[in-house]
Amino acid sequence: MSGGINVAILGATGAVGQELLALLESRNFPLKNLKLLASPRSAGSKIPFCGQELTVEAVSDESFAGIDIVLASAGGSTSKKYAAAAVSAGAVVIDNSSAFRMDEDVPLIVPEINPEAIAEHQGIIANPNCTTILMGVAIYPLHQVQPIKRIVVSTYQSASGAGARAMAEVETQAQDILNGETPKPEVLPYPLAFNLFPHNSPLGSNGYCQEEMKMVNETRKIFADPQLRVTATCVRVPVLRAHSEAINLEFDQPFPIEKAQELMKGAEGVKLVEDWEQNYFPMPIDATGEDDVLVGRIRQDISHANGLELWLCGDQIRKGAALNAVQIAELLLEKDLLKVTEVTAAI
Ligand code: A2P
């Protein structure tokens, strides 16, 4: 690490934090210094990076002096607690939590969709929810050609969405069940191994859980279409890593399948995976560790002339979180938007 940008990772010991480290290294991000921050539990632990051993520090308000970019992935309450201190210290915070996503003065960015919105940042840029990013990357190329009128999405979300401890818990539960023992849920509310359950985020008065409403509201914000009709059912499934989504799209007129396939082939961040003869389509194990969102099973909705069905799998930790955040950091540098001119009073 020499000339370049001073970056801090808040939540460096977590599943997304670890992926952020790997991506900064593999993408040759122009780093000057990298600071690793987590809770006091992890202070003093060592993490390898670019042939060195970096020491994790407990985050405090003083952690951000001299930092240009904070990649925050330590949960919403931690982001809320430290974002103001980071911005006051002159850093731009790229926040992976839901803490600021719907704030009017916080851009919510997927670089393949709305890179221009980043210019409006006032110190905080939000990284959307994982399921929203994966869906958005896949369907935005279609939306640009023929505006989508309605989205009906069902998700199949892996344990990784609930963090590194949830992934470990599923493995332990699977072993317990195979040993004839009763699985003990600790991080997740119910046993996930050999089971599934509707997403356990808090339920709203309309019957939708928070995860589902994130897909509705965040997609509208990223697509800059407040009227877009979206409904979602989010489910946690016993997959370790990479989320899947079944998506039904409604247009004003029929969307030719061949046109959709061509668009998927040319779209940034998307890979068309379809072998109709072998009945082979995207699977979470194939999406794991991949940058691209894998899309397939594009077919006409037999119940609606203007409907299109598709299936996707994407790595929740990578494009659904860490990769999107690093791409936002790269976009900041590309557009020379690191200097914060105005500090929002809202944080
Ligand atoms: P720690 O390992 O010290 O608990 P995951 O989403 O994979 O569970 O990771 C969560 C990340 O957020 C970890 O790096 C964790 O650090 C960090 N974290 C959780 N709570 C706090 C906190 N109160 N202050 C700072 N970092 C936190």
Side-chain angles (χ1 to χ4, degrees):
M1 290 182 269
S2 54
I5 307 297
N6 291 316
V7 174
I9 299 180
L10 175 53
T13 52
V16 174
Q18 291 293 296
E19 200 66 33
L20 285 166
L21 276 151
L23 283 162
L24 291 176
E25 184 163 350
S26 67
R27 292 170 77 91
N28 288 322
F29 191 86
L31 281 173
K32 187 171 182 191
N33 274 302
L34 180 62
K35 194 173 206 176
L36 304 186
L37 302 169
S39 79
R41 292 180 289 273
S42 307
S45 58
K46 307 270 185 204
I47 296 184
F49 181 77
C50 284
Q52 303 175 27
E53 290 249 291
L54 302 184
T55 305
V56 178
E57 297 172 33
V59 65
S60 75
D61 279 349
E62 285 69 50
S63 300
F64 308 102
I67 298 292
D68 301 304
I69 296 179
V70 179
L71 298 166
S73 193
S77 54
T78 307
S79 289
K80 276 190 178 145
K81 192 166 170 194
Y82 295 106
V87 174
S88 299
V92 177
V93 177
I94 301 172
D95 185 32
N96 198 47
S97 82
S98 61
F100 305 108
R101 285 181 192 147
M102 297 312 295
D103 290 8
E104 261 182 32
D105 48 11
V106 174
L108 184 62
I109 302 291
V110 178
E112 291 86 347
I113 301 176
N114 61 342
E116 68 293 338
I118 200 171
E120 294 152 25
H121 89 81
Q122 296 180 28
I124 300 178
I125 300 162
N127 208 30
N129 184 42
C130 49
T131 46
T132 308
I133 296 177
L134 301 176
M135 180 172 79
V137 169
I139 67 173
Y140 192 69
L142 309 176
H143 185 66
Q144 279 180 301
V145 173
Q146 269 180 227
I148 295 166
K149 297 293 158 199
R150 182 168 181 246
I151 302 169
V152 181
V153 55
S154 300
T155 70
Y156 306 73
Q157 299 183 218
S158 59
S160 57
R165 287 176 59 229
M167 294 167 79
E169 175 169 291
V170 175
E171 289 180 316
T172 308
Q173 287 176 354
Q175 278 161 1
D176 286 347
I177 291 170
L178 293 173
N179 290 335
E181 291 161 25
T182 306
K184 291 174 278 307
E186 281 168 15
V187 181
L188 296 165
Y190 310 107
L192 188 58
F194 304 107
N195 189 29
L196 56 79
F197 47 83
H199 200 281
N200 57 290
S201 51
L203 293 166
S205 56
N206 63 1
Y208 285 73
C209 68
Q210 261 179 18
E211 185 81 357
E212 291 162 349
M213 289 312 295
K214 284 177 189 172
M215 293 197 84
V216 175
N217 295 324
E218 294 180 20
T219 304
R220 287 174 170 169
K221 180 167 175 176
I222 298 161
F223 280 31
D225 184 354
Q227 306 308 324
L228 184 62
R229 286 183 291 151
V230 185
T231 181
T233 301
C234 294
V235 177
R236 186 77 74 196
V237 297
V239 168
L240 275 186
R241 179 167 166 161
H243 291 352
S244 305
E245 302 181 23
I247 304 172
N248 180 280
L249 301 172
E250 188 185 321
F251 301 88
D252 263 345
Q253 49 191 314
F255 202 113
I257 293 169
E258 300 71 28
K259 191 161 136 190
Q261 288 169 328
E262 277 314 305
L263 285 165
M264 291 296 101
K265 278 183 196 159
E268 210 186 322
V270 174
K271 189 170 167 193
L272 183 67
V273 176
E274 289 191 323
D275 185 338
W276 290 87
E277 281 181 15
Q278 299 296 320
N279 206 340
Y280 171 75
F281 300 103
M283 293 187 281
I285 48 170
D286 293 336
T288 296
E290 289 287 315
D291 285 353
D292 287 338
V293 177
L294 310 184
V295 178
R297 295 207 75 209
I298 302 175
R299 60 204 192 278
Q300 166 76 53
D301 175 354
I302 54 167
S303 74
H304 195 301
N306 299 341
L308 196 71
E309 293 276 357
L310 60 87
W311 169 255
L312 67 78
C313 296
D315 190 319
Q316 169 274 326
I317 300 177
R318 226 168 155 89
K319 182 57 187 170
L323 173 61
N324 201 70
V326 172
Q327 287 175 314
I328 291 173
E330 290 168 348
L331 197 59
L332 270 176
L333 301 188
E334 193 186 303
K335 292 184 179 282
D336 198 18
L337 288 168
L338 260 189
K339 297 226 164 24
V340 184
T341 48
E342 224 181 305
V343 176
T344 173
I347 54 170

